Amino acid sequence: MRGRLTVIGLGPGDPRWLTPAASEALASATDLVGYGPYLDRVPDRPGLRRHASDNRVELDRARFALDLASTGCDVAVVSGGDPGVFAMAAAIFEAVETGQPSWRGIDIRVEPGITAMLAAAARVGAPLGGDFCAISLSDNLKPWETVETRLRAAVAADFVVALYNPISRARPWQLGSALELVAEHRGPNTPIVLARAVGRPDECIRILALCDVDASMADMSTVVIIGASTTRLIAKPDDSAPYVYTPRFYGVRS
Amino acid sequence: MRGRLTVIGLGPGDPRWLTPAASEALASATDLVGYGPYLDRVPDRPGLRRHASDNRVELDRARFALDLASTGCDVAVVSGGDPGVFAMAAAIFEAVETGQPSWRGIDIRVEPGITAMLAAAARVGAPLGGDFCAISLSDNLKPWETVETRLRAAVAADFVVALYNPISRARPWQLGSALELVAEHRGPNTPIVLARAVGRPDECIRILALCDVDASMADMSTVVIIGASTTRLIAKPDDSAPYVYTPRFYGVRS
């Protein structure tokens, strides 16, 4: 029996950012697998089975979902944002590669979603207007040295940088270290966007100069966008938060 | 009179990837501004005015849209993909900064969309599963040396790299140069994804080893994803195209 598994990106929270393709995949699923708060975003209907888990042990959750699909169920694995960006899709494929040979016969699809940095950028203007990088600050899955090497390379080459998973109770110091490293390469007035819970009722977005950012201003639900040397602010006449954007032009304009 | 301007991401082409928020913004607009083929994707309705332009002179188009909004119109500037990623949003804010002071009073919003690399990644698996960069290969707006510096930094630090605007009639050699630079740092079997027109009827996706990629395989509508050293293929039992994914783990697993 050939099952089906779709890894679905719900977007950052606002249901108006959930794509119709993702909605369709949710509507046809027999089983939902995912972190509890993500499952809570999917409306209930008769016959839909929910398998909530906590936010850790993603590989166990992936194996559970594949096992369920291999029995013929139509399984939807739900992620916030985009499932391919620091979320469940890579865990699913890792489980496929190292798991039951029969899992390779499952019809596995990925439905893209709006990832946090795109939503955060849209809220403030166009800070990702130039070349940019996305880095997860979590050192649960890679050595901290790797994070530092990549962050240093990115700021030295003047990329805009989006930091995912900046801080958590178990990882309290990494964001502070990262900001210190950034300050070695970027000026104190470099624009920083701290975008928390974008698209959710408790959304909070702050635009600060690098020298005014403290790691305690971020939490697990925050994405941090670090401007390049060219990233600029535009004041608004009503003194509300400025626009932040990175010009497409770089270097001397002819 | 305070006008309104929304910069809207239509996603990569499949209308099932257009977010409900973007649909709403399109439905309330009085005027559409954008590159002709993007405007063609928006259904017609009575009273909707269309202002199509070619794909160049984005800044002129931005100024035209702002001027229209300043007269009280509800203007939608449409982009493919996400408007903040190598698209119209940065051009709009550049025009605001350098243009009429009154333009700063326009209610400007950005509606995010699924950008090409997310859709391309979803089609093949999870190649963006680790840290990644997005680089535009166009040297119309920045010196080629900047592109090279960034690409070298990205591959040396083992990021996955998504290349936008890889090649065009006016820029025929840049992708070949970029691939040569990548080959100095990555092995010949590094997985490369060439994703053309994702989500459109003429979609064509190829998964190749770095040593087998030729720049002529890409065009203006292609996004190129270059795997990191850890990016892997998983063969399927039916010999169809393999999955491509980048594990979340990096370095020695404890």
Side-chain angles (χ1 to χ4, degrees), chain B residues 137-226:
Chain B
L137 275 198
S138 170
D139 53 357
N140 292 339
L141 300 169
K142 63 191 168 195
W144 178 248
E145 295 69 39
T146 301
V147 177
E148 282 195 333
T149 299
R150 290 179 177 169
L151 184 57
R152 187 170 284 118
V155 289
D158 211 7
F159 282 95
V160 176
V161 178
L163 300 177
Y164 282 72
N165 306 317
I167 196 164
S168 74
R169 213 170 297 177
R171 296 182 292 102
W173 56 265
Q174 284 81 345
L175 178 58
S177 281
L179 292 169
E180 281 173 30
L181 190 159
V182 170
E184 293 169 18
H185 297 264
R186 300 269 162 94
N189 293 320
T190 300
I192 307 288
V193 179
L194 300 171
R196 188 184 175 283
V198 181
R200 299 203 288 274
D202 51 340
E203 172 177 312
C204 173
I205 297 184
R206 303 175 73 171
I207 298 164
L208 293 161
L210 174 58
C211 60
D212 294 328
V213 176
D214 186 277
S216 66
M217 297 169 176
D219 68 8
M220 260 175 50
S221 304
T222 305
V223 64
V224 180
I225 299 178
I226 299 165

